[in-house]
PDB file of all heavy atoms in Angstrom:
ATOM      1  N   VAL A  27      -3.130  21.163-129.849  1.00 71.00           N
ATOM      2  CA  VAL A  27      -4.219  21.796-129.108  1.00 71.00           C
ATOM      3  C   VAL A  27      -4.961  22.824-129.949  1.00 71.00           C
ATOM      4  O   VAL A  27      -6.127  23.132-129.674  1.00 71.00           O
ATOM      5  CB  VAL A  27      -3.686  22.464-127.822  1.00 71.00           C
ATOM      6  CG1 VAL A  27      -3.134  21.422-126.869  1.00 71.00           C
ATOM      7  CG2 VAL A  27      -2.609  23.493-128.147  1.00 71.00           C
ATOM      8  N   TRP A  28      -4.298  23.359-130.978  1.00 63.00           N
ATOM      9  CA  TRP A  28      -4.949  24.381-131.807  1.00 63.00           C
ATOM     10  C   TRP A  28      -6.066  23.821-132.677  1.00 63.00           C
ATOM     11  O   TRP A  28      -6.852  24.569-133.240  1.00 63.00           O
ATOM     12  CB  TRP A  28      -3.903  25.065-132.693  1.00 63.00           C
ATOM     13  CG  TRP A  28      -3.091  24.102-133.506  1.00 63.00           C
ATOM     14  CD1 TRP A  28      -3.375  23.631-134.755  1.00 63.00           C
ATOM     15  CD2 TRP A  28      -1.861  23.473-133.108  1.00 63.00           C
ATOM     16  NE1 TRP A  28      -2.419  22.743-135.172  1.00 63.00           N
ATOM     17  CE2 TRP A  28      -1.466  22.631-134.174  1.00 63.00           C
ATOM     18  CE3 TRP A  28      -1.071  23.544-131.972  1.00 63.00           C
ATOM     19  CZ2 TRP A  28      -0.303  21.878-134.125  1.00 63.00           C
ATOM     20  CZ3 TRP A  28       0.099  22.786-131.928  1.00 63.00           C
ATOM     21  CH2 TRP A  28       0.462  21.973-132.995  1.00 63.00           C
ATOM     22  N   THR A  29      -6.147  22.496-132.769  1.00 63.00           N
ATOM     23  CA  THR A  29      -7.220  21.889-133.551  1.00 63.00           C
ATOM     24  C   THR A  29      -8.490  21.692-132.719  1.00 63.00           C
ATOM     25  O   THR A  29      -9.515  21.276-133.254  1.00 63.00           O
ATOM     26  CB  THR A  29      -6.775  20.528-134.118  1.00 63.00           C
ATOM     27  OG1 THR A  29      -6.484  19.629-133.035  1.00 63.00           O
ATOM     28  CG2 THR A  29      -5.531  20.684-134.980  1.00 63.00           C
ATOM     29  N   GLY A  30      -8.410  21.977-131.403  1.00 66.00           N
ATOM     30  CA  GLY A  30      -9.560  21.812-130.522  1.00 66.00           C
ATOM     31  C   GLY A  30      -9.520  20.483-129.792  1.00 66.00           C
ATOM     32  O   GLY A  30      -8.802  19.556-130.182  1.00 66.00           O
ATOM     33  N   GLY A  31     -10.291  20.401-128.724  1.00 75.00           N
ATOM     34  CA  GLY A  31     -10.359  19.170-127.949  1.00 75.00           C
ATOM     35  C   GLY A  31      -9.578  19.266-126.651  1.00 75.00           C
ATOM     36  O   GLY A  31      -8.372  19.033-126.623  1.00 75.00           O
ATOM     37  N   MET A  32     -10.274  19.655-125.561  1.00 84.00           N
ATOM     38  CA  MET A  32      -9.667  19.736-124.233  1.00 84.00           C
ATOM     39  C   MET A  32     -10.632  19.104-123.228  1.00 84.00           C
ATOM     40  O   MET A  32     -11.843  19.245-123.352  1.00 84.00           O
ATOM     41  CB  MET A  32      -9.383  21.184-123.846  1.00 84.00           C
ATOM     42  CG  MET A  32      -8.361  21.891-124.730  1.00 84.00           C
ATOM     43  SD  MET A  32      -6.667  21.361-124.421  1.00 84.00           S
ATOM     44  CE  MET A  32      -6.301  22.275-122.914  1.00 84.00           C
ATOM     45  N   SER A  33     -10.073  18.423-122.253  1.00 87.00           N
ATOM     46  CA  SER A  33     -10.878  17.774-121.213  1.00 87.00           C
ATOM     47  C   SER A  33     -10.659  18.471-119.880  1.00 87.00           C
ATOM     48  O   SER A  33      -9.509  18.633-119.441  1.00 87.00           O
ATOM     49  CB  SER A  33     -10.491  16.296-121.091  1.00 87.00           C
ATOM     50  OG  SER A  33     -10.911  15.745-119.854  1.00 87.00           O
ATOM     51  N   PHE A  34     -11.760  18.876-119.218  1.00 89.00           N
ATOM     52  CA  PHE A  34     -11.593  19.482-117.900  1.00 89.00           C
ATOM     53  C   PHE A  34     -10.951  18.496-116.941  1.00 89.00           C
ATOM     54  O   PHE A  34     -10.053  18.845-116.168  1.00 89.00           O
ATOM     55  CB  PHE A  34     -12.929  19.944-117.313  1.00 89.00           C
ATOM     56  CG  PHE A  34     -12.803  20.223-115.836  1.00 89.00           C
ATOM     57  CD1 PHE A  34     -12.274  21.415-115.395  1.00 89.00           C
ATOM     58  CD2 PHE A  34     -13.159  19.252-114.900  1.00 89.00           C
ATOM     59  CE1 PHE A  34     -12.098  21.651-114.035  1.00 89.00           C
ATOM     60  CE2 PHE A  34     -12.989  19.482-113.542  1.00 89.00           C
ATOM     61  CZ  PHE A  34     -12.459  20.684-113.107  1.00 89.00           C
ATOM     62  N   HIS A  35     -11.423  17.250-116.947  1.00 88.00           N
ATOM     63  CA  HIS A  35     -10.915  16.283-115.982  1.00 88.00           C
ATOM     64  C   HIS A  35      -9.423  16.017-116.193  1.00 88.00           C
ATOM     65  O   HIS A  35      -8.680  15.811-115.235  1.00 88.00           O
ATOM     66  CB  HIS A  35     -11.720  14.983-116.075  1.00 88.00           C
ATOM     67  CG  HIS A  35     -13.162  15.165-115.715  1.00 88.00           C
ATOM     68  ND1 HIS A  35     -14.126  15.461-116.656  1.00 88.00           N
ATOM     69  CD2 HIS A  35     -13.810  15.119-114.516  1.00 88.00           C
ATOM     70  CE1 HIS A  35     -15.303  15.571-116.051  1.00 88.00           C
ATOM     71  NE2 HIS A  35     -15.137  15.374-114.763  1.00 88.00           N
ATOM     72  N   GLY A  36      -8.976  16.038-117.453  1.00 91.00           N
ATOM     73  CA  GLY A  36      -7.544  15.924-117.716  1.00 91.00           C
ATOM     74  C   GLY A  36      -6.784  17.139-117.219  1.00 91.00           C
ATOM     75  O   GLY A  36      -5.700  17.024-116.637  1.00 91.00           O
ATOM     76  N   GLY A  37      -7.356  18.343-117.452  1.00 93.00           N
ATOM     77  CA  GLY A  37      -6.735  19.561-116.954  1.00 93.00           C
ATOM     78  C   GLY A  37      -6.678  19.587-115.439  1.00 93.00           C
ATOM     79  O   GLY A  37      -5.712  20.075-114.843  1.00 93.00           O
ATOM     80  N   PHE A  38      -7.719  19.046-114.806  1.00 93.00           N
ATOM     81  CA  PHE A  38      -7.750  18.951-113.342  1.00 93.00           C
ATOM     82  C   PHE A  38      -6.614  18.059-112.854  1.00 93.00           C
ATOM     83  O   PHE A  38      -5.885  18.422-111.916  1.00 93.00           O
ATOM     84  CB  PHE A  38      -9.102  18.395-112.909  1.00 93.00           C
ATOM     85  CG  PHE A  38      -9.237  18.174-111.429  1.00 93.00           C
ATOM     86  CD1 PHE A  38      -9.498  19.230-110.584  1.00 93.00           C
ATOM     87  CD2 PHE A  38      -9.111  16.897-110.887  1.00 93.00           C
ATOM     88  CE1 PHE A  38      -9.627  19.037-109.199  1.00 93.00           C
ATOM     89  CE2 PHE A  38      -9.239  16.690-109.524  1.00 93.00           C
ATOM     90  CZ  PHE A  38      -9.496  17.758-108.675  1.00 93.00           C
ATOM     91  N   ALA A  39      -6.443  16.898-113.496  1.00 94.00           N
ATOM     92  CA  ALA A  39      -5.366  15.987-113.100  1.00 94.00           C
ATOM     93  C   ALA A  39      -4.000  16.633-113.316  1.00 94.00           C
ATOM     94  O   ALA A  39      -3.098  16.502-112.481  1.00 94.00           O
ATOM     95  CB  ALA A  39      -5.473  14.679-113.887  1.00 94.00           C
ATOM     96  N   GLY A  40      -3.842  17.347-114.449  1.00 95.00           N
ATOM     97  CA  GLY A  40      -2.579  18.021-114.717  1.00 95.00           C
ATOM     98  C   GLY A  40      -2.274  19.093-113.691  1.00 95.00           C
ATOM     99  O   GLY A  40      -1.123  19.263-113.263  1.00 95.00           O
ATOM    100  N   THR A  41      -3.305  19.822-113.257  1.00 96.00           N
ATOM    101  CA  THR A  41      -3.114  20.858-112.245  1.00 96.00           C
ATOM    102  C   THR A  41      -2.767  20.249-110.896  1.00 96.00           C
ATOM    103  O   THR A  41      -1.948  20.794-110.147  1.00 96.00           O
ATOM    104  CB  THR A  41      -4.385  21.722-112.122  1.00 96.00           C
ATOM    105  OG1 THR A  41      -4.724  22.256-113.402  1.00 96.00           O
ATOM    106  CG2 THR A  41      -4.166  22.868-111.148  1.00 96.00           C
ATOM    107  N   VAL A  42      -3.388  19.123-110.561  1.00 96.00           N
ATOM    108  CA  VAL A  42      -3.064  18.424-109.307  1.00 96.00           C
ATOM    109  C   VAL A  42      -1.585  18.055-109.273  1.00 96.00           C
ATOM    110  O   VAL A  42      -0.889  18.276-108.268  1.00 96.00           O
ATOM    111  CB  VAL A  42      -3.946  17.173-109.148  1.00 96.00           C
ATOM    112  CG1 VAL A  42      -3.415  16.270-108.039  1.00 96.00           C
ATOM    113  CG2 VAL A  42      -5.387  17.571-108.845  1.00 96.00           C
ATOM    114  N   ILE A  43      -1.092  17.507-110.372  1.00 97.00           N
ATOM    115  CA  ILE A  43       0.324  17.131-110.444  1.00 97.00           C
ATOM    116  C   ILE A  43       1.205  18.370-110.309  1.00 97.00           C
ATOM    117  O   ILE A  43       2.216  18.365-109.576  1.00 97.00           O
ATOM    118  CB  ILE A  43       0.613  16.397-111.766  1.00 97.00           C
ATOM    119  CG1 ILE A  43      -0.126  15.054-111.779  1.00 97.00           C
ATOM    120  CG2 ILE A  43       2.114  16.193-111.960  1.00 97.00           C
ATOM    121  CD1 ILE A  43      -0.069  14.339-113.123  1.00 97.00           C
ATOM    122  N   ALA A  44       0.842  19.448-110.998  1.00 97.00           N
ATOM    123  CA  ALA A  44       1.623  20.693-110.930  1.00 97.00           C
ATOM    124  C   ALA A  44       1.656  21.233-109.502  1.00 97.00           C
ATOM    125  O   ALA A  44       2.699  21.711-109.031  1.00 97.00           O
ATOM    126  CB  ALA A  44       1.035  21.729-111.883  1.00 97.00           C
ATOM    127  N   ILE A  45       0.534  21.164-108.793  1.00 97.00           N
ATOM    128  CA  ILE A  45       0.475  21.660-107.413  1.00 97.00           C
ATOM    129  C   ILE A  45       1.369  20.827-106.504  1.00 97.00           C
ATOM    130  O   ILE A  45       2.122  21.369-105.682  1.00 97.00           O
ATOM    131  CB  ILE A  45      -0.979  21.662-106.918  1.00 97.00           C
ATOM    132  CG1 ILE A  45      -1.767  22.786-107.598  1.00 97.00           C
ATOM    133  CG2 ILE A  45      -1.042  21.824-105.397  1.00 97.00           C
ATOM    134  CD1 ILE A  45      -3.250  22.788-107.283  1.00 97.00           C
ATOM    135  N   PHE A  46       1.301  19.510-106.626  1.00 97.00           N
ATOM    136  CA  PHE A  46       2.146  18.646-105.806  1.00 97.00           C
ATOM    137  C   PHE A  46       3.626  18.963-106.035  1.00 97.00           C
ATOM    138  O   PHE A  46       4.402  19.101-105.075  1.00 97.00           O
ATOM    139  CB  PHE A  46       1.881  17.171-106.121  1.00 97.00           C
ATOM    140  CG  PHE A  46       0.809  16.556-105.269  1.00 97.00           C
ATOM    141  CD1 PHE A  46      -0.384  16.131-105.829  1.00 97.00           C
ATOM    142  CD2 PHE A  46       0.993  16.385-103.904  1.00 97.00           C
ATOM    143  CE1 PHE A  46      -1.380  15.560-105.048  1.00 97.00           C
ATOM    144  CE2 PHE A  46       0.009  15.806-103.112  1.00 97.00           C
ATOM    145  CZ  PHE A  46      -1.181  15.395-103.692  1.00 97.00           C
ATOM    146  N   LEU A  47       4.025  19.080-107.288  1.00 97.00           N
ATOM    147  CA  LEU A  47       5.435  19.327-107.601  1.00 97.00           C
ATOM    148  C   LEU A  47       5.883  20.699-107.110  1.00 97.00           C
ATOM    149  O   LEU A  47       6.967  20.845-106.529  1.00 97.00           O
ATOM    150  CB  LEU A  47       5.661  19.204-109.111  1.00 97.00           C
ATOM    151  CG  LEU A  47       5.494  17.804-109.709  1.00 97.00           C
ATOM    152  CD1 LEU A  47       5.636  17.853-111.226  1.00 97.00           C
ATOM    153  CD2 LEU A  47       6.517  16.844-109.115  1.00 97.00           C
ATOM    154  N   PHE A  48       5.046  21.714-107.323  1.00 97.00           N
ATOM    155  CA  PHE A  48       5.421  23.066-106.925  1.00 97.00           C
ATOM    156  C   PHE A  48       5.468  23.185-105.404  1.00 97.00           C
ATOM    157  O   PHE A  48       6.391  23.804-104.852  1.00 97.00           O
ATOM    158  CB  PHE A  48       4.429  24.075-107.496  1.00 97.00           C
ATOM    159  CG  PHE A  48       4.818  25.513-107.250  1.00 97.00           C
ATOM    160  CD1 PHE A  48       5.756  26.136-108.054  1.00 97.00           C
ATOM    161  CD2 PHE A  48       4.248  26.231-106.207  1.00 97.00           C
ATOM    162  CE1 PHE A  48       6.122  27.461-107.828  1.00 97.00           C
ATOM    163  CE2 PHE A  48       4.603  27.548-105.975  1.00 97.00           C
ATOM    164  CZ  PHE A  48       5.547  28.163-106.787  1.00 97.00           C
ATOM    165  N   ALA A  49       4.484  22.615-104.712  1.00 97.00           N
ATOM    166  CA  ALA A  49       4.470  22.674-103.251  1.00 97.00           C
ATOM    167  C   ALA A  49       5.679  21.968-102.668  1.00 97.00           C
ATOM    168  O   ALA A  49       6.300  22.452-101.704  1.00 97.00           O
ATOM    169  CB  ALA A  49       3.176  22.063-102.715  1.00 97.00           C
ATOM    170  N   TRP A  50       6.032  20.825-103.224  1.00 97.00           N
ATOM    171  CA  TRP A  50       7.215  20.088-102.753  1.00 97.00           C
ATOM    172  C   TRP A  50       8.492  20.894-102.985  1.00 97.00           C
ATOM    173  O   TRP A  50       9.357  20.979-102.113  1.00 97.00           O
ATOM    174  CB  TRP A  50       7.290  18.747-103.482  1.00 97.00           C
ATOM    175  CG  TRP A  50       8.586  18.023-103.261  1.00 97.00           C
ATOM    176  CD1 TRP A  50       8.969  17.336-102.142  1.00 97.00           C
ATOM    177  CD2 TRP A  50       9.675  17.923-104.190  1.00 97.00           C
ATOM    178  NE1 TRP A  50      10.225  16.812-102.316  1.00 97.00           N
ATOM    179  CE2 TRP A  50      10.677  17.158-103.565  1.00 97.00           C
ATOM    180  CE3 TRP A  50       9.888  18.393-105.488  1.00 97.00           C
ATOM    181  CZ2 TRP A  50      11.894  16.872-104.193  1.00 97.00           C
ATOM    182  CZ3 TRP A  50      11.089  18.104-106.116  1.00 97.00           C
ATOM    183  CH2 TRP A  50      12.078  17.352-105.476  1.00 97.00           C
ATOM    184  N   ARG A  51       8.598  21.528-104.139  1.00 96.00           N
ATOM    185  CA  ARG A  51       9.799  22.295-104.479  1.00 96.00           C
ATOM    186  C   ARG A  51       9.947  23.522-103.579  1.00 96.00           C
ATOM    187  O   ARG A  51      11.061  23.887-103.187  1.00 96.00           O
ATOM    188  CB  ARG A  51       9.734  22.725-105.944  1.00 96.00           C
ATOM    189  CG  ARG A  51      10.994  23.423-106.450  1.00 96.00           C
ATOM    190  CD  ARG A  51      10.846  23.780-107.917  1.00 96.00           C
ATOM    191  NE  ARG A  51      12.019  24.447-108.428  1.00 96.00           N
ATOM    192  CZ  ARG A  51      13.075  23.842-108.938  1.00 96.00           C
ATOM    193  NH1 ARG A  51      13.099  22.506-108.987  1.00 96.00           N
ATOM    194  NH2 ARG A  51      14.100  24.525-109.393  1.00 96.00           N
ATOM    195  N   ARG A  52       8.838  24.162-103.220  1.00 95.00           N
ATOM    196  CA  ARG A  52       8.887  25.385-102.428  1.00 95.00           C
ATOM    197  C   ARG A  52       8.676  25.139-100.927  1.00 95.00           C
ATOM    198  O   ARG A  52       8.759  26.078-100.140  1.00 95.00           O
ATOM    199  CB  ARG A  52       7.816  26.361-102.925  1.00 95.00           C
ATOM    200  CG  ARG A  52       8.093  26.944-104.289  1.00 95.00           C
ATOM    201  CD  ARG A  52       9.315  27.863-104.264  1.00 95.00           C
ATOM    202  NE  ARG A  52       9.618  28.391-105.566  1.00 95.00           N
ATOM    203  CZ  ARG A  52       9.163  29.550-106.037  1.00 95.00           C
ATOM    204  NH1 ARG A  52       8.370  30.297-105.274  1.00 95.00           N
ATOM    205  NH2 ARG A  52       9.494  29.964-107.237  1.00 95.00           N
ATOM    206  N   GLY A  53       8.377  23.936-100.530  1.00 96.00           N
ATOM    207  CA  GLY A  53       8.129  23.670 -99.122  1.00 96.00           C
ATOM    208  C   GLY A  53       6.830  24.271 -98.628  1.00 96.00           C
ATOM    209  O   GLY A  53       6.722  24.692 -97.469  1.00 96.00           O
ATOM    210  N   LEU A  54       5.808  24.297 -99.483  1.00 96.00           N
ATOM    211  CA  LEU A  54       4.512  24.883 -99.144  1.00 96.00           C
ATOM    212  C   LEU A  54       3.511  23.792 -98.776  1.00 96.00           C
ATOM    213  O   LEU A  54       3.701  22.618 -99.114  1.00 96.00           O
ATOM    214  CB  LEU A  54       3.968  25.685-100.336  1.00 96.00           C
ATOM    215  CG  LEU A  54       4.818  26.853-100.828  1.00 96.00           C
ATOM    216  CD1 LEU A  54       4.254  27.391-102.145  1.00 96.00           C
ATOM    217  CD2 LEU A  54       4.879  27.943 -99.777  1.00 96.00           C
ATOM    218  N   SER A  55       2.436  24.195 -98.120  1.00 95.00           N
ATOM    219  CA  SER A  55       1.346  23.264 -97.823  1.00 95.00           C
ATOM    220  C   SER A  55       0.597  22.947 -99.108  1.00 95.00           C
ATOM    221  O   SER A  55       0.015  23.831 -99.738  1.00 95.00           O
ATOM    222  CB  SER A  55       0.378  23.879 -96.805  1.00 95.00           C
ATOM    223  OG  SER A  55      -0.831  23.147 -96.761  1.00 95.00           O
ATOM    224  N   VAL A  56       0.600  21.685 -99.493  1.00 97.00           N
ATOM    225  CA  VAL A  56      -0.070  21.296-100.730  1.00 97.00           C
ATOM    226  C   VAL A  56      -1.578  21.517-100.624  1.00 97.00           C
ATOM    227  O   VAL A  56      -2.229  21.918-101.606  1.00 97.00           O
ATOM    228  CB  VAL A  56       0.259  19.828-101.093  1.00 97.00           C
ATOM    229  CG1 VAL A  56      -0.345  18.863-100.080  1.00 97.00           C
ATOM    230  CG2 VAL A  56      -0.213  19.487-102.493  1.00 97.00           C
ATOM    231  N   TRP A  57      -2.140  21.319 -99.422  1.00 97.00           N
ATOM    232  CA  TRP A  57      -3.587  21.471 -99.265  1.00 97.00           C
ATOM    233  C   TRP A  57      -4.005  22.930 -99.348  1.00 97.00           C
ATOM    234  O   TRP A  57      -5.053  23.247 -99.918  1.00 97.00           O
ATOM    235  CB  TRP A  57      -4.041  20.859 -97.943  1.00 97.00           C
ATOM    236  CG  TRP A  57      -3.832  19.384 -97.900  1.00 97.00           C
ATOM    237  CD1 TRP A  57      -3.007  18.695 -97.057  1.00 97.00           C
ATOM    238  CD2 TRP A  57      -4.418  18.413 -98.767  1.00 97.00           C
ATOM    239  NE1 TRP A  57      -3.050  17.357 -97.352  1.00 97.00           N
ATOM    240  CE2 TRP A  57      -3.919  17.148 -98.391  1.00 97.00           C
ATOM    241  CE3 TRP A  57      -5.321  18.483 -99.828  1.00 97.00           C
ATOM    242  CZ2 TRP A  57      -4.278  15.979 -99.027  1.00 97.00           C
ATOM    243  CZ3 TRP A  57      -5.691  17.312-100.465  1.00 97.00           C
ATOM    244  CH2 TRP A  57      -5.183  16.082-100.065  1.00 97.00           C
ATOM    245  N   THR A  58      -3.196  23.824 -98.814  1.00 97.00           N
ATOM    246  CA  THR A  58      -3.516  25.246 -98.938  1.00 97.00           C
ATOM    247  C   THR A  58      -3.445  25.690-100.390  1.00 97.00           C
ATOM    248  O   THR A  58      -4.282  26.473-100.858  1.00 97.00           O
ATOM    249  CB  THR A  58      -2.548  26.079 -98.078  1.00 97.00           C
ATOM    250  OG1 THR A  58      -2.742  25.745 -96.702  1.00 97.00           O
ATOM    251  CG2 THR A  58      -2.784  27.570 -98.267  1.00 97.00           C
ATOM    252  N   LEU A  59      -2.465  25.189-101.132  1.00 98.00           N
ATOM    253  CA  LEU A  59      -2.361  25.538-102.546  1.00 98.00           C
ATOM    254  C   LEU A  59      -3.542  24.969-103.329  1.00 98.00           C
ATOM    255  O   LEU A  59      -4.077  25.621-104.237  1.00 98.00           O
ATOM    256  CB  LEU A  59      -1.038  25.014-103.112  1.00 98.00           C
ATOM    257  CG  LEU A  59      -0.542  25.636-104.424  1.00 98.00           C
ATOM    258  CD1 LEU A  59      -0.509  27.153-104.350  1.00 98.00           C
ATOM    259  CD2 LEU A  59       0.830  25.086-104.780  1.00 98.00           C
ATOM    260  N   PHE A  60      -3.978  23.770-102.961  1.00 98.00           N
ATOM    261  CA  PHE A  60      -5.183  23.197-103.577  1.00 98.00           C
ATOM    262  C   PHE A  60      -6.407  24.074-103.298  1.00 98.00           C
ATOM    263  O   PHE A  60      -7.237  24.307-104.177  1.00 98.00           O
ATOM    264  CB  PHE A  60      -5.446  21.787-103.032  1.00 98.00           C
ATOM    265  CG  PHE A  60      -4.725  20.693-103.757  1.00 98.00           C
ATOM    266  CD1 PHE A  60      -4.048  19.713-103.055  1.00 98.00           C
ATOM    267  CD2 PHE A  60      -4.718  20.638-105.138  1.00 98.00           C
ATOM    268  CE1 PHE A  60      -3.379  18.694-103.713  1.00 98.00           C
ATOM    269  CE2 PHE A  60      -4.054  19.623-105.811  1.00 98.00           C
ATOM    270  CZ  PHE A  60      -3.374  18.654-105.096  1.00 98.00           C
ATOM    271  N   ASP A  61      -6.518  24.558-102.057  1.00 98.00           N
ATOM    272  CA  ASP A  61      -7.654  25.410-101.707  1.00 98.00           C
ATOM    273  C   ASP A  61      -7.673  26.680-102.557  1.00 98.00           C
ATOM    274  O   ASP A  61      -8.726  27.095-103.062  1.00 98.00           O
ATOM    275  CB  ASP A  61      -7.590  25.791-100.228  1.00 98.00           C
ATOM    276  CG  ASP A  61      -7.963  24.652 -99.296  1.00 98.00           C
ATOM    277  OD1 ASP A  61      -8.584  23.681 -99.771  1.00 98.00           O
ATOM    278  OD2 ASP A  61      -7.631  24.734 -98.103  1.00 98.00           O
ATOM    279  N   LEU A  62      -6.528  27.318-102.688  1.00 98.00           N
ATOM    280  CA  LEU A  62      -6.442  28.543-103.476  1.00 98.00           C
ATOM    281  C   LEU A  62      -6.808  28.288-104.926  1.00 98.00           C
ATOM    282  O   LEU A  62      -7.563  29.054-105.543  1.00 98.00           O
ATOM    283  CB  LEU A  62      -5.029  29.127-103.377  1.00 98.00           C
ATOM    284  CG  LEU A  62      -4.644  29.718-102.018  1.00 98.00           C
ATOM    285  CD1 LEU A  62      -3.139  29.960-101.945  1.00 98.00           C
ATOM    286  CD2 LEU A  62      -5.400  31.014-101.766  1.00 98.00           C
ATOM    287  N   ALA A  63      -6.284  27.201-105.480  1.00 98.00           N
ATOM    288  CA  ALA A  63      -6.598  26.874-106.873  1.00 98.00           C
ATOM    289  C   ALA A  63      -8.079  26.564-107.044  1.00 98.00           C
ATOM    290  O   ALA A  63      -8.709  26.959-108.038  1.00 98.00           O
ATOM    291  CB  ALA A  63      -5.749  25.686-107.334  1.00 98.00           C
ATOM    292  N   GLY A  64      -8.664  25.861-106.068  1.00 98.00           N
ATOM    293  CA  GLY A  64     -10.085  25.536-106.141  1.00 98.00           C
ATOM    294  C   GLY A  64     -10.962  26.768-106.087  1.00 98.00           C
ATOM    295  O   GLY A  64     -11.959  26.869-106.807  1.00 98.00           O
TER     296      GLY A  64
END
């Protein structure tokens, strides 16, 4: 990553996956967490 080159859409997909996993692990509303992140 230090050489440059990042994609927003890839970062968006990565964040979606992170939200799903974290919400499932903590028993949180995935949609509320999506709203906060958005």
Side-chain angles (χ1 to χ4, degrees):
V27 295
W28 54 89
T29 62
M32 296 286 282
S33 161
F34 165 81
H35 297 91
F38 177 79
T41 305
V42 167
I43 294 172
I45 288 174
F46 270 114
L47 293 175
F48 186 81
W50 170 76
R51 185 179 180 88
R52 290 293 178 92
L54 300 171
S55 166
V56 67
W57 295 116
T58 296
L59 199 52
F60 274 133
D61 286 342
L62 290 167

